[in-house]
Amino acid sequence: MDPRAVALLSCPVCAAPFTADDDGLRCAAGHRVDRARQGHLTLLPPGRRPPMGDSAEMVADRVSFLSAGHYDPLTAALRDAVVDGSVPETLVDLGGGTGHHLARVLDDLPSAVGLVLDASRYAARRAARAHARAIAVVADAWARLPLLDDAADRVLVVFAPRNGAEIARVLRPEGRLVVVTPAPDHLQELVGPLGLLRVDPDKAERLAATLEPHLRRAGAATHRWTASLDRSAVATLAGMGPHARHLAPDALTASLAGLPRSSPVTIAVDVATYAPLG
């Protein structure tokens, strides 16, 4: 584990900093966390279980879809917003899944370190191998984050929960939050034929209500492109996100059979940047 990444973490029991050894972490009060054999850490408050995270099947679909490059423009937009004229040294990907996006941002920031926090142990197992300068942690985004105050230059949130108060606590005074959310026309060609979840028309207002009591909006841009997806790619896309929890497998299979062999699909995302108040 990169000691600079370890230095961002705090004990979920007493909030003290950690030091690392070969097998895990220990804080000054003697609380110990063992590293799983797959390489990740679990840092949850005592007695607390994380919200339901992605299943092993959802994570496998995410790995397949992202590795095919369909979301590469999203990753590029995220990287540009993260850098934005500066060179951040500490990145936290909150709800970061397999670590795919963070790993590629770190590739362009050779002096930076990163953390991936996610509720899914299956995602954390993948994220533990995503990048040599990143650590994967099972954590609950709605609890106190296992991070020290003012730890992060950047917090990244890509299609994931946003705890405004905790993000503000862990951001450095000059830090930035970068949030990626689906735009209204995201996947518009598939919503009807497959019965996918529609983008909430009030999403922008809900985002503001969650974050703006704690952070100020510093910028925003919409990024839109068309991907040519065959039926297999559409199936993995549907299976890797929240749609998977709402679609019956048999119904999805039948709907996919009605699609052309290859379909043009709009991918549209809003990338917003927030700064600490003051």
Side-chain angles (χ1 to χ4, degrees):
M1 291 185 290
D2 193 305
R4 297 174 300 156
V6 171
L8 308 179
L9 295 169
S10 70
C11 176
V13 179
C14 67
F18 276 120
T19 56
D21 56 30
D22 291 340
D23 299 318
L25 307 176
R26 184 185 299 275
C27 76
H31 302 121
R32 176 165 183 81
V33 176
D34 293 329
R35 182 165 58 164
R37 62 182 176 83
Q38 296 91 349
H40 65 280
L41 300 161
T42 297
L43 298 178
L44 295 169
R48 189 175 184 115
R49 292 185 176 183
M52 181 175 62
D54 290 350
S55 66
E57 294 77 14
M58 292 169 71
V59 169
D61 279 343
R62 181 169 298 186
V63 169
S64 176
F65 189 84
L66 294 178
S67 63
H70 303 302
Y71 273 8
D72 282 356
L74 185 160
T75 307
L78 179 67
R79 179 191 61 229
D80 291 345
V82 165
V83 176
D84 191 25
S86 63
V87 184
E89 298 287 334
T90 53
L91 281 61
V92 174
D93 195 351
L94 188 57
T98 63
H100 174 91
H101 299 299
L102 177 66
R104 279 145 187 80
V105 174
L106 287 174
D107 283 342
D108 287 343
L109 296 170
S111 65
V113 296
L115 298 173
V116 177
L117 275 61
D118 200 274
S120 169
R121 68 182 185 275
Y122 303 108
R125 290 171 183 174
R126 297 275 190 170
R129 306 191 299 271
H131 201 280
R133 287 182 275 117
I135 294 175
V137 177
V138 175
D140 182 353
W142 298 115
R144 186 185 191 278
L145 298 177
L147 299 170
L148 297 172
D149 293 355
D150 302 331
D153 290 321
R154 298 288 186 274
V155 174
L156 288 54
V157 180
V158 181
F159 300 162
R162 301 162 294 272
N163 184 335
E166 277 297 285
I167 292 170
R169 179 183 66 80
V170 305
L171 270 179
R172 292 177 176 167
E174 69 282 4
R176 294 290 184 271
L177 164 67
V178 181
V179 182
V180 180
T181 54
D185 54 338
H186 184 57
L187 310 182
Q188 62 183 358
E189 296 86 357
L190 301 178
V191 170
L194 298 186
L196 301 186
L197 297 171
R198 297 181 182 274
V199 176
D200 182 353
D202 298 324
K203 179 176 281 290
E205 289 76 12
R206 291 194 297 108
L207 179 65
T210 301
L211 296 177
E212 290 183 13
H214 313 284
L215 300 155
R216 62 175 176 84
R217 191 174 173 106
T222 298
H223 299 266
R224 185 177 286 103
W225 64 99
T226 300
S228 180
L229 304 181
D230 61 22
R231 291 172 185 163
S232 177
V234 172
T236 57
L237 173 61
M240 76 180 195
H243 312 288
R245 299 191 179 100
H246 299 271
L247 295 173
D250 290 345
L252 177 60
T253 299
S255 298
L256 287 168
L259 293 179
R261 291 184 180 274
S262 181
S263 303
V265 176
T266 300
I267 300 175
V269 297
D270 294 323
V271 181
T273 304
Y274 290 81
L277 298 176

